[in-house]
Amino acid sequence: MSGLLFEGADWNFLTLQRIHDACEAVAEKELGLDTYPNQIEVITAEQMLDAYSSVGMPLFYKHWSFGKHFAYHEASYRKGLMGLAYEIVINSSPCISYLMEENTATMQTLVIAHAAFGHNHFFKNNYLFKQWTDADGILDYLDFARGYIAQCEERYGRLAVEHTLDAAHALMSHGVDRYPGKKKLDFREEEKRAGKRRLYEEGQFNDLWRTVPTGPVKTNAMLNVERRRALLGLPQENLLYFLEKTAPRLAPWQRELLRIVRHIAQYFYPQGQTKVMNEGTATYVHYRIMNRLHQDGRLTDGNFLEFLQSHTNVVFQPEFDDPRFSGFNPYALGFAIMQDIERIVKDPTDEDREWFPDIAGTGDEMAVLRDVWANYRDESFISQFLSPNLIRRFKLFHLHDDPAERAGILVDAIHDERGYRRIRRELSKQYDVGYIDPNIEVVDVDLAGDRRLMLRHTVVKGAQLNETDTKRVLQHLADLWSYDVSLVEVDAATDKVLKEYVLNPRIQPAAA
Amino acid sequence: MHIIDRRLNPGGKSLENRQRFLRRAKALVQGAVKKTSQDRDIKDVLEGGEVSIPLDGMDEPRFRREGGTRDMVLPGNKKFVEGDILPRSGDGSGRKSAPGQGDSEDAFRFVLSKEEFVNLFLDDLELPDLAKRKFAEAESEGLVRAGYSTSGSPANISISRTVTRALARRVALRRPRPEAIAELEAQLEQETDDDKRAALLAEIEALKAKAKRIPFIDPIDIRYRRFEAVPKPIAQAVMFCLMDVSGSMSEHMKDLAKRFYMLLYVFLTRRYRHVEIVFIRHTDRAEEVDEQTFFYGPASGGTLVSSALQCMHDIVRSRFRPSDWNIYAAQASDGDNATSDSENVARLLTDNILPVSQFFAYLEVGESGTYSFEMPDSALWSLYERLRANGEPLSMRKVRDRSEIFPVFHDLFQRRGTTQERAAS
């Protein structure tokens, strides 16, 4: 239980085991964390780059855009513009953390405490991850996806697969269900079902059907609009889902590809909503563990100083007029709020008692934090726990930029009595997916007429879509849909149509 | 907990993705490669290295919003109070109105390996199907001795080396020599005393046993002669750069010529293991010079093209036997030549140079902004045209602008070279 974990900077596998066990003891007994079993993999810098470019996953299907990311990361890494992350951690069971071989023993301790316990606990307990991701099945599913896509390339040609994937990627951010519906994903089931579908298709295949004339479409004019929309599940904001289920001319394998991309998008969806919390949790956990190890005499002062230096770099938040500023650092913000919660729980001021009557002075900071980690996402986390104390410390202020206002940008609130609540509300909005992603839905399909797919973008606060990008995405959409696609941008407040796009499909696939 | 060492796993998992990316970005990368290579020395073109391509050709579109009213919360307020109005773009806030917003990735640089670089550079090109086809692709290998090895075929056992090693081993391990045993046996014959006989007998037995344990030749002594395959010198080429440097050649024209030579060099290096470059510049007399002097040295005087051809011919005769070397020549000139020289040029080309050359290109360089059709054909051009009409394997093009170099080169070396039939620009 005591004695130094290691000396100097060198480590070997026994050291890693010792480090893990020491961290585990602190994590379980002192912090009360509940984690998936850990799997720690030691990799080289090059492998780290590989992992980077396929969104951190150990196995992923092949696509040129990952090559592009690789080239991009590699170039900036070689030029020294960017350091590699010390770790990558995967939301799976067992929870896989990659450690780079170049790290010193201190860094390995930091990474294990950070990833293998901090992130791991968060993945296992946060409600969004519980609801949306299937940690047990993800690796198998990715393996299936990779195999399936490779098979499709063999059967239908690399280009055809690439076109479909390009289109699916363009719509990826609109391929998630934002609200919990019927059931959570089960990747193993999913994989089995895909297999069955394929077998069924093969069993049902009869070349004769190819010769049956397709003829004019049965008219749907009889269906009234309401019924038709209900049948198609409209309005639908999950564009990928809609296409997969209803695009008239997609081949079965194309539907399966859309499905794969959609599932992966859904898997990553919670990560986008919990960046601040996830990194904050991991940082808070590693900070506690490292301090405990040092107090118990298991880390030398020198090693602890090395840790403090990296830690300080990680939680550094440049101010807005600093050339290094590029938005909020999720590590800094998350860690600061969590430390602040600890302070409020253990040693509250009168202000804290007024603002946080439920937790101020209750004394058990871990109970509060574990509850926070389990039940919040960035938006709600900030809107509930950003305290006046922290607003003052970060010297936060709120700018309101109205292009119609000639004079300039208004400073709407600063870190004073009048500003706290407004700043907190505005900052939390910046993390609200409802605000971040444009609100685009399929509203109707003209089934009786030219089968045009109609989409609607609800414009909030005058922010319209970027024209070039929108045209490209719609082109992809039209290619998948195989008929015209239109998108109208409608102002949310006035219901006025601001702009309309219409695109025709480029390729007319052979009739299915 | 498991710890897994993945370091031994093959890296380069992204290789396939990277190739797909390159394939897709080919046109863009090709453009970038050409641009990059413009500023390099002839031999440096081959180094590969960084190229940057515009991201917008390769971006992945998403629905993005822009404009509208924006709200943002920022850290680090020092002096603002509620209600302040900050000028939009000025020094008031010290930054643009929306820090951290908007994409700044307009181009990105990445590193191409030498191989990738050259492949993209020369994609689609091939050696023209000219004269002595028999050498063009042939690259035969020869064997040379390369020391000894511990394995090999019995035919290659090196006896002397093996025996030497065996001897050394026997000495080191003190293997009893047969003579020593024979001597003891002779003593045994004459010995009558039983005790002594027994002692001698024991000694002989011991020596024999030792000799058995330490063989005369052990498998570890055996050495084989090793051979290595090396390319035979046939896989080599020489490239003659002939340039008119008389007063009428401007820097611009030399630059055009340089680019053409550069392409030719890269092209040849891919085909041959070894490429020599000979720079010959001429006014009314010719001399062989180094690259620096060739392109940048000041020289002036009259023009006598035959001098350069004569010089090339002499060099070929003395240093590059046509049976061993593939000879390429590219001549750059503004086309001026003394009228009296024409016959000499024609004779040298038809009799001496073209028969031994794989490829002879004539590049007529002009000032940028001029058009060839505005000018009558130059003396040299008409002469070469006449030779070509007689069936001599000459390639000729006119170039006025940097941007034309690659297309012209491409044209000359295109696959299924029907370029000969096509009229020059």
Side-chain angles (χ1 to χ4, degrees):
Chain A
M1 197 46 223
S2 63
L4 284 180
L5 285 170
F6 52 82
E7 273 180 272
D10 292 340
W11 53 269
N12 56 31
F13 288 92
L14 282 178
T15 327
L16 290 186
Q17 183 74 52
R18 258 202 317 278
I19 292 171
H20 174 270
D21 294 346
C23 291
E24 187 175 40
V26 181
E28 275 178 9
K29 294 206 187 84
E30 188 176 334
L31 307 181
L33 300 189
D34 163 33
T35 54
Y36 293 121
N38 271 311
Q39 177 165 322
I40 287 172
E41 308 201 351
V42 180
I43 61 175
T44 61
E46 195 207 348
Q47 286 168 325
M48 189 60 110
L49 272 171
D50 279 344
Y52 251 51
S53 38
S54 49
V55 286
M57 300 312 274
L59 25 98
F60 221 71
Y61 54 84
K62 306 270 179 235
H63 190 259
W64 62 269
S65 75
F66 308 135
K68 177 179 113 180
H69 288 124
F70 182 83
Y72 181 70
H73 289 311
E74 193 196 23
S76 34
Y77 176 58
R78 282 198 195 185
K79 284 213 287 205
L81 290 182
M82 163 190 105
L84 285 176
Y86 301 118
E87 41 92 24
I88 285 185
V89 54
I90 292 168
N91 168 27
S92 63
S93 177
C95 176
I96 301 176
S97 318
Y98 293 117
L99 308 190
M100 269 212 295
E101 64 170 349
E102 285 87 346
N103 292 347
T104 62
T106 311
M107 287 308 296
Q108 304 294 30
T109 318
L110 167 60
V111 171
I112 289 177
H114 181 92
F117 293 96
H119 282 306
N120 189 344
H121 173 84
F122 194 79
F123 287 144
K124 188 169 175 191
N125 294 280
N126 184 265
Y127 79 105
L128 279 174
F129 286 90
K130 280 187 168 174
Q131 208 159 56
W132 288 119
T133 64
D134 171 21
D136 294 309
I138 181 67
L139 292 180
D140 287 340
Y141 187 69
L142 286 177
D143 189 37
F144 152 76
R146 185 172 61 170
Y148 187 85
I149 289 176
Q151 219 176 36
C152 286
E153 288 182 342
E154 239 166 67
R155 286 193 191 174
Y156 311 105
R158 199 174 55 77
L159 268 185
V161 172
E162 191 173 292
H163 284 314
T164 312
L165 281 179
D166 283 352
H169 285 177
L171 296 167
M172 202 162 176
S173 49
H174 295 268
V176 289
D177 293 318
R178 284 170 212 284
Y179 306 101
K182 311 132 260 182
K183 57 179 170 35
K184 112 181 196 170
L185 280 181
D186 181 344
F187 284 132
R188 253 187 257 283
E189 255 330 285
E190 201 45 59
E191 183 187 340
K192 265 185 227 147
R193 230 182 307 161
K196 268 191 213 148
R197 265 198 300 280
R198 210 164 51 243
L199 278 182
Y200 177 79
E201 279 153 19
E202 275 166 9
Q204 294 298 303
F205 177 77
N206 184 340
D207 204 35
L208 266 185
W209 287 111
R210 207 172 38 77
T211 64
V212 175
T214 37
V217 190
K218 293 272 183 306
T219 169
N220 274 301
M222 296 318 208
L223 293 172
N224 62 38
V225 177
E226 283 309 310
R227 214 180 127 219
R228 182 175 77 222
R229 285 168 54 115
L231 273 180
L232 289 168
L234 295 174
Q236 173 62 264
E237 61 169 357
N238 189 337
L239 304 186
L240 281 181
Y241 178 81
F242 181 81
L243 288 170
E244 177 198 324
K245 296 300 176 204
T246 44
R249 300 176 88 165
L250 286 184
W253 62 270
Q254 287 178 302
R255 293 182 204 276
E256 190 68 44
L257 293 196
L258 296 192
R259 202 179 171 77
I260 287 171
V261 172
R262 180 166 69 81
H263 282 154
I264 290 171
Q266 192 76 61
Y267 171 82
F268 282 113
Y269 186 55
Q271 310 219 353
Q273 299 183 63
T274 53
K275 192 107 183 86
V276 172
M277 286 194 75
N278 205 343
E279 295 304 352
T281 306
T283 308
Y284 182 83
V285 166
H286 83 226
Y287 190 70
R288 288 285 299 259
I289 293 181
M290 295 299 279
N291 271 291
R292 168 61 54 217
L293 292 179
H294 180 235
Q295 276 164 24
D296 289 353
R298 313 208 63 187
L299 288 178
T300 64
D301 290 349
N303 288 330
F304 191 65
L305 271 179
E306 186 196 344
F307 153 71
L308 280 179
Q309 203 207 344
S310 323
H311 174 77
T312 317
N313 284 338
V314 164
V315 298
F316 174 64
Q317 174 63 60
E319 300 192 332
F320 80 101
D321 48 0
D322 189 312
R324 289 167 292 182
F325 180 81
S326 61
F328 275 96
N329 172 357
Y331 294 83
L333 188 59
F335 180 64
I337 298 180
M338 285 168 197
Q339 270 206 319
D340 203 44
I341 292 176
E342 182 182 337
R343 185 189 58 79
I344 292 168
V345 171
K346 284 167 124 170
D347 183 19
T349 62
D350 287 345
E351 185 186 50
D352 296 324
R353 286 186 205 283
E354 187 191 323
W355 279 68
F356 304 101
D358 292 346
I359 59 169
T362 53
D364 184 357
E365 82 281 1
M366 281 320 298
V368 174
L369 281 173
R370 282 197 302 268
D371 176 61
V372 170
W373 293 340
N375 298 312
Y376 290 81
R377 57 178 181 154
D378 287 351
E379 178 253 333
S380 53
F381 174 62
I382 290 169
S383 82
Q384 307 254 341
F385 294 103
L386 184 67
S387 71
N389 173 48
L390 211 57
I391 294 177
R392 285 194 297 270
R393 219 181 86 202
F394 274 118
K395 302 201 197 74
L396 299 183
F397 64 113
H398 168 220
L399 292 180
H400 178 74
D401 180 5
D402 184 352
E405 187 57 62
R406 278 292 164 102
I409 304 164
L410 176 70
V411 177
D412 202 37
I414 64 162
H415 47 92
D416 61 8
E417 283 301 328
R418 288 157 47 80
Y420 295 145
R421 285 187 197 280
R422 266 186 287 164
I423 285 178
R424 189 159 84 167
R425 191 176 57 235
E426 286 303 329
L427 186 60
S428 109
K429 249 195 232 168
Q430 286 182 13
Y431 289 94
D432 185 353
V433 273
Y435 274 91
I436 300 167
D437 290 332
N439 178 7
I440 295 172
E441 343 170 269
V442 181
V443 284
D444 206 354
V445 184
D446 184 4
L447 280 179
D450 56 5
R451 292 187 173 180
R452 175 181 294 185
L453 182 66
M454 287 177 260
L455 286 89
R456 174 190 158 113
H457 172 220
T458 311
V459 176
V460 186
K461 296 203 290 185
Q464 286 181 245
L465 295 174
N466 170 293
E467 191 174 319
T468 12
D469 268 18
T470 304
K471 279 188 182 156
R472 286 202 199 131
V473 178
L474 287 178
Q475 184 64 65
H476 279 308
L477 186 59
D479 291 347
L480 290 179
W481 180 248
S482 300
Y483 298 94
D484 291 2
V485 167
S486 77
L487 174 108
V488 286
E489 296 200 79
V490 181
D491 189 79
T494 61
D495 239 1
K496 219 175 76 188
V497 174
L498 301 171
K499 187 157 189 172
E500 181 165 8
Y501 298 88
V502 178
L503 279 118
N504 330 99
R506 270 178 305 200
I507 341 148
Q508 291 283 347
Chain B
M1 185 211 42
H2 289 294
I3 302 180
I4 299 177
D5 188 356
R6 293 265 185 230
R7 284 173 295 179
L8 297 177
N9 277 24
K13 255 203 290 191
S14 285
L15 193 67
E16 162 81 23
N17 285 331
R18 186 186 158 91
Q19 281 167 348
R20 285 177 185 224
F21 164 60
L22 279 183
R23 213 153 37 209
R24 189 170 160 115
K26 196 158 147 192
L28 292 172
V29 181
Q30 229 160 18
V33 162
K34 270 163 220 160
K35 227 167 108 202
T36 314
S37 48
Q38 276 173 6
D39 305 322
R40 301 189 180 180
D41 281 346
I42 292 188
K43 283 189 173 171
D44 293 342
V45 180
L46 278 180
E47 280 314 300
E50 278 202 347
V51 297
S52 57
I53 66 167
L55 254 194
D56 58 326
M58 287 302 294
D59 70 344
E60 296 161 85
R62 296 276 156 95
F63 286 126
R64 274 196 296 131
R65 277 183 311 192
E66 56 187 16
T69 55
R70 275 183 305 209
D71 288 284
M72 55 217 139
V73 175
L74 301 171
N77 177 20
K78 282 153 209 105
K79 53 178 188 195
F80 305 137
V81 292
E82 189 183 331
D84 277 0
I85 302 280
L86 313 181
R88 270 222 167 63
S89 56
D91 335 271
S93 66
R95 293 183 61 92
K96 268 190 65 199
S97 61
Q101 301 221 341
D103 290 334
S104 57
E105 302 177 315
D106 37 40
F108 83 88
R109 305 176 70 78
F110 61 97
V111 182
L112 290 175
S113 73
K114 197 167 155 172
E115 193 57 26
E116 283 168 337
F117 191 91
V118 177
N119 277 339
L120 284 162
F121 191 72
L122 293 175
D123 198 50
D124 256 15
L125 299 180
E126 204 174 54
L127 276 182
D129 189 20
L130 293 181
K132 303 176 297 182
R133 210 35 208 177
K134 59 179 172 180
F135 293 132
E137 305 249 9
E139 195 164 274
S140 64
E141 308 247 300
L143 292 177
V144 293
R145 289 283 298 273
Y148 299 90
S149 73
T150 50
S151 61
S153 93
N156 287 337
I157 287 182
S158 163
I159 293 174
S160 60
R161 180 57 66 116
T162 304
V163 170
T164 317
R165 291 187 56 90
L167 182 64
R169 181 180 51 79
R170 293 198 304 269
V171 170
L173 296 179
R174 297 174 199 277
R175 185 182 199 266
R177 295 186 312 150
E179 299 88 64
I181 298 177
E183 197 179 311
L184 285 177
E185 276 172 342
Q187 277 182 32
L188 187 65
E189 295 271 304
Q190 281 150 31
E191 192 55 64
T192 49
D193 182 43
D194 277 354
D195 284 351
K196 282 190 178 167
R197 274 185 71 90
L200 273 175
L201 216 55
E203 197 174 347
I204 289 169
E205 283 308 311
L207 284 182
K208 276 188 173 163
K210 194 169 183 188
K212 221 176 209 167
R213 275 204 309 278
I214 304 171
F216 191 76
I217 287 187
D218 192 85
I220 63 165
D221 300 329
I222 298 175
R223 286 295 176 274
Y224 298 87
R225 291 188 297 271
R226 206 169 80 80
F227 294 92
E228 218 167 47
V230 290
K232 275 175 87 174
I234 199 163
Q236 57 194 358
V238 55
M239 159 179 151
F240 285 90
C241 304
L242 310 172
M243 186 159 68
D244 177 357
V245 291
S246 61
S248 54
M249 286 287 284
S250 66
E251 281 307 311
H252 171 74
M253 292 168 166
K254 289 183 187 174
D255 185 58
L256 292 180
K258 175 180 177 178
R259 282 164 205 279
F260 187 82
Y261 295 137
M262 210 147 156
L263 282 164
L264 186 59
Y265 176 73
V266 171
F267 188 51
L268 293 177
T269 337
R270 202 149 82 127
R271 192 67 54 161
Y272 302 106
R273 295 231 175 148
H274 184 64
V275 179
E276 290 252 354
I277 315 179
V278 178
F279 295 101
I280 297 173
R281 64 169 187 180
H282 75 91
T283 52
D284 48 1
R285 44 185 204 86
E287 57 181 334
E288 186 185 352
V289 293
D290 59 21
E291 181 173 348
Q292 202 59 27
T293 329
F294 186 71
F295 290 109
Y296 305 109
S300 196
T303 314
L304 220 49
V305 173
S306 62
S307 64
L309 296 176
Q310 183 63 49
C311 179
M312 171 178 169
H313 179 53
D314 294 341
I315 292 174
V316 168
R317 264 203 312 206
S318 61
R319 281 161 34 203
F320 304 102
R321 271 204 331 187
S323 55
D324 293 339
W325 290 81
N326 296 285
I327 297 168
Y328 292 80
Q331 181 188 7
S333 163
D334 58 356
D336 278 346
N337 195 23
T339 331
S340 58
D341 193 38
S342 289
E343 276 323 300
N344 273 336
V345 171
R347 186 178 44 77
L348 272 166
L349 274 176
T350 30
D351 295 352
N352 301 330
I353 293 187
L354 291 177
V356 300
S357 302
Q358 294 278 85
F359 179 70
F360 190 98
Y362 170 62
L363 200 67
E364 189 158 305
V365 288
E367 282 301 344
S368 71
T370 60
Y371 295 97
S372 52
F373 56 77
E374 290 173 348
M375 303 182 298
D377 282 347
S378 67
L380 213 52
W381 185 270
S382 333
L383 170 65
Y384 283 8
E385 189 79 317
R386 202 181 74 222
L387 292 176
R388 212 162 62 92
N390 291 343
E392 296 294 347
L394 268 170
S395 305
M396 38 201 294
R397 286 291 183 281
K398 287 182 183 169
V399 180
R400 292 167 306 280
D401 213 57
R402 254 177 218 184
S403 57
E404 293 176 335
I405 290 285
F406 194 81
V408 161
F409 186 83
H410 199 268
D411 203 22
L412 286 174
F413 286 91
Q414 215 166 24
R415 253 170 219 154
R416 321 236 172 285
T418 48
T419 46
Q420 287 297 302
E421 286 80 52
R422 262 192 269 160
S425 55

